[in-house]
Amino acid sequence: MALSASLYLRQSQTLAMTPQLMQSIQLLQMTHFELTQFIEQEVEKNPLLEFVSEADQPGESTREDMPSEGSDGEDFSGLTDVYDGTTRDDSLRMSETLDANFENVFPDDTSPQRADAPELLSQWKSMSGGGDGETSEGYDLEDFVANRLTLRDVLNEQLILSIHGARDRLIAQALIDQLDDAGYLHADTAETADQLGCTVRDVEAVLATLQRFDPPGVFARSLSECLAIQLRQKNRLDPAMSALIGNLELLARRDFATLKKLCGVDEEDLIDMLGEIRKLDPKPGTSFELTPCEAIVPDIVVRAAPDGTWAVELNPETLPRVLVNQVYYTTVSRHAPKNSGDHAFLSECLQTANWLTRSLDQRAKTIMKVATEIVRQQDAFLVNGVDHLRPLNLKTIADAIKMHESTVSRVTSNKYMLTPRGLFELKYFFTVSIGSAEGGDGHSAESVRHRIRNMIVLESPEAVLSDDDIVEILKKGGVDLARRTVAKYREAMNIPSSVQRRREKRAMAKVSA
């Protein structure tokens, strides 16, 4: 067979992952906070992009922004407001007639020059924008709110009254600076003494004084020491209680038989001691923690429609309000030479801005499609609760909306839906299927976990359910589940075994009695 060179014409279609396409895909999985940061960066770089604020909405023009000419070319500059032409005599007569005179009606009040607190009057004028023609931007009410004391502020106040020596105060301040948010001290006294140039005995003496500060239990180096400090201040640190807090690992395992032997008490005394332990604070510094609780902003809101269906809509608070300033582009490009760098820069900015707005619009539409299909699939959950949550996977949603599974996965990442049943992450609605005992439709793993949790909550101390009992009850309810799967679900929900639950429930019953 002879070898020869020849030319062939072949047509093929490929997908090129351009940077813009990759960025558009990344926009899908961005959270609201990440998307806001990304848009702010783009607005800083692109002069054609701008945020749309509520003040920029049409129909809210200020008086200074109103034109002086009408649409027909008439000049309205000579017109004044009705109140501008009112004379002083007319104003006085109107005030007397309508009882709208705002002059001082208390003749005993002193003038600003004779005020009892002239500095307060000047402050109020400066805040309210008044005064002798001086302008002011107003004031913030948060400036008048008392600052919340931190843990270190409370300890420093007690430090001034309890420790007087300069050296001891230096040691105490060094120990205060090494506290964590829970009020625990993780510093080594030997290292602290070496850094400050003092003895370990000096550090231990100051630490003993600091451990008597409020809140009780602060400056502890372990959980046992934290509980011991609080019991010591209550005069309840006897040998039996010391043995109990010295074996907290046995208490965590609910090994009450061993604890009774170590503490030398009977069951009734041990239950009383456990009741006292539960009243203590294991993290005394958390009450001073200033970290705000960040609320989750839902991306989708689901409401019941009047016709019995569900109304699915995007949360307007999470929709970015960004527009392309076409007027600015037209004005600037008119004066820029065609072949100059400025014109090329403007063209690139316009292309980037148009791409961003289209990508944001496509992102919103994709989220809406996925959320609508999830609501359609999980209609029984929205009506009846977790017990009726259907098994669902990404492929089902992707086939229904004609998209790829990876796109659905990106859309459902870190996005939340507000429903009449509560706030849920979109990933919550995707659960594996568990076979039915009757051979019918499968059950959702989340609904099965919910059943197991309810059964354990409702069990009595005398009839604690084992994993085998739970398997039998689920099988009667139409759920075919293995014992090891029940144990795995129970451990994932941090539920102890039946033996530990029996001990704890009996102890709680005696404490409550």
Side-chain angles (χ1 to χ4, degrees):
M1 181 177 180
L3 298 178
S4 62
S6 59
L7 295 177
Y8 292 96
L9 182 62
R10 180 181 300 173
Q11 185 178 8
S12 62
Q13 185 177 5
T14 59
L15 178 62
M17 294 291 292
T18 62
Q20 289 185 345
L21 180 58
M22 295 177 61
Q23 190 68 63
S24 179
I25 294 175
Q26 293 177 0
L27 288 177
L28 285 176
Q29 59 187 8
M30 285 186 181
T31 62
H32 170 59
F33 178 73
E34 295 172 346
L35 183 63
T36 303
Q37 284 187 327
F38 172 77
I39 294 177
E40 289 178 352
Q41 295 175 0
E42 292 295 324
V43 170
E44 291 179 358
K45 296 186 298 183
N46 197 331
L48 301 182
L49 286 174
E50 60 181 15
F51 285 108
V52 180
S53 60
E54 296 181 359
D56 297 332
Q57 298 298 327
E60 298 183 1
S61 302
T62 58
R63 184 176 174 182
E64 291 78 12
D65 297 335
M66 296 178 60
S68 60
E69 295 184 1
S71 58
D72 298 333
E74 301 181 45
D75 187 8
F76 296 100
S77 59
L79 298 180
T80 57
D81 192 62
V82 192
Y83 299 99
D84 293 341
T86 306
T87 62
R88 178 172 178 81
D89 296 335
D90 295 336
S91 300
L92 294 175
R93 185 165 54 254
M94 292 175 61
S95 299
E96 294 175 357
T97 304
L98 302 176
D99 194 17
N101 189 3
F102 295 101
E103 295 181 358
N104 190 6
V105 294
F106 300 99
D108 295 337
D109 287 353
T110 58
S111 61
Q113 291 78 9
R114 301 193 305 270
D116 296 335
E119 67 280 358
L120 299 180
L121 182 60
S122 61
Q123 291 177 9
W124 172 253
K125 284 186 176 182
S126 63
M127 291 185 297
S128 59
D132 301 330
E134 297 181 358
T135 60
S136 175
E137 297 181 357
Y139 62 94
D140 190 357
L141 288 176
E142 293 185 357
D143 296 338
F144 300 91
V145 179
N147 293 329
R148 184 177 178 181
L149 293 177
T150 63
L151 176 62
R152 285 162 179 79
D153 294 336
V154 174
L155 295 176
N156 286 327
E157 291 178 356
Q158 302 175 67
L159 173 64
I160 299 176
L161 302 176
S162 302
I163 300 178
H164 305 285
R167 182 192 61 182
D168 293 343
R169 284 190 178 182
L170 180 62
I171 297 174
Q173 192 63 54
L175 295 176
I176 291 176
D177 294 337
Q178 299 181 71
L179 288 178
D180 61 6
D181 295 335
Y184 282 82
L185 180 65
H186 299 287
D188 186 16
T189 55
E191 293 181 1
T192 304
D194 184 62
Q195 293 174 359
L196 300 177
C198 60
T199 62
V200 178
R201 182 178 299 177
D202 296 334
V203 178
E204 292 287 350
V206 174
L207 179 59
T209 304
L210 295 176
Q211 289 181 346
R212 294 194 292 267
F213 283 9
D214 286 332
V218 74
F219 288 99
R221 287 160 290 187
S222 63
L223 178 59
S224 300
E225 187 177 13
C226 178
L227 301 178
I229 293 172
Q230 300 179 52
L231 292 171
R232 187 181 297 110
Q233 294 185 8
K234 294 182 177 182
N235 197 21
R236 281 291 296 125
L237 189 61
D238 52 18
M241 191 67 76
S242 299
L244 177 60
I245 63 175
N247 296 274
L248 294 178
E249 66 280 357
L250 298 177
L251 180 59
R253 296 201 303 263
R254 280 87 170 175
D255 192 355
F256 300 132
T258 308
L259 286 175
K260 287 191 295 182
K261 296 179 181 179
L262 294 175
C263 299
V265 295
D266 55 11
E267 185 175 357
E268 184 177 356
D269 292 337
L270 181 61
I271 292 175
D272 294 338
M273 294 165 61
L274 294 179
E276 293 186 27
I277 293 293
R278 290 190 179 94
K279 297 178 182 179
L280 303 179
D281 188 2
K283 296 181 179 180
T286 53
S287 58
F288 299 91
E289 190 175 357
L290 299 179
T291 303
C293 181
E294 298 181 2
I296 297 177
V297 180
D299 300 272
I300 306 101
V301 180
V302 180
R303 298 185 180 91
D307 56 354
T309 60
W310 299 103
V312 184
E313 59 184 10
L314 295 174
N315 188 359
E317 297 182 3
T318 61
L319 295 178
R321 301 178 180 180
V322 59
L323 293 178
V324 182
N325 196 337
Q326 298 283 356
V327 177
Y328 179 75
Y329 170 76
T330 304
T331 304
V332 176
S333 61
R334 187 184 300 121
H335 300 85
K338 291 291 185 182
N339 299 325
S340 63
D342 297 338
H343 191 275
F345 173 74
L346 286 175
S347 300
E348 182 181 358
C349 289
L350 180 62
Q351 182 181 1
T352 304
N354 289 331
W355 160 81
L356 180 60
T357 53
R358 288 195 303 268
S359 298
L360 293 176
D361 181 66
Q362 185 64 33
R363 176 182 182 271
K365 291 179 179 178
T366 305
I367 295 176
M368 191 66 180
K369 285 183 180 180
V370 174
T372 304
E373 184 60 25
I374 291 177
V375 171
R376 191 184 71 83
Q377 295 283 347
Q378 301 292 356
D379 175 73
F381 161 77
L382 297 175
V383 175
N384 301 313
V386 185
D387 290 337
H388 294 77
L389 187 67
R390 292 181 52 190
L392 187 64
N393 53 30
L394 298 175
K395 188 177 185 302
T396 304
I397 300 295
D399 294 341
I401 62 177
K402 308 301 181 183
M403 289 186 178
H404 197 268
E405 294 181 35
S406 61
T407 303
V408 178
S409 177
R410 292 186 179 95
V411 170
T412 55
S413 298
N414 299 320
K415 294 178 183 61
Y416 294 84
M417 177 187 294
L418 181 61
T419 69
R421 293 286 172 182
L423 182 66
F424 300 94
E425 189 179 5
L426 294 184
K427 290 288 188 183
Y428 174 83
F429 298 99
F430 296 90
T431 57
V432 298
S433 176
I434 296 177
S436 175
E438 290 83 5
D441 295 337
H443 301 270
S444 170
E446 183 62 31
S447 64
V448 174
R449 283 193 290 266
H450 180 69
R451 293 187 189 182
I452 296 174
R453 188 185 303 110
N454 287 341
M455 284 189 290
I456 293 177
V457 169
L458 297 177
E459 65 184 4
S460 61
E462 293 77 16
V464 175
L465 300 175
S466 63
D467 294 342
D468 292 327
D469 296 335
I470 296 176
V471 170
E472 293 298 329
I473 297 176
L474 290 176
K475 187 171 295 185
K476 292 179 181 178
V479 181
D480 188 9
L481 203 62
R483 180 185 178 280
R484 61 179 181 274
T485 307
V486 172
K488 182 181 68 174
Y489 287 170
R490 177 178 52 77
E491 293 173 358
M493 294 184 290
N494 294 324
I495 298 176
S497 63
S498 58
V499 177
Q500 295 176 344
R501 296 201 309 271
R502 183 178 294 106
R503 293 174 181 172
E504 185 175 2
K505 287 179 179 293
R506 288 180 178 177
M508 290 295 296
K510 291 182 179 180
V511 170
S512 59

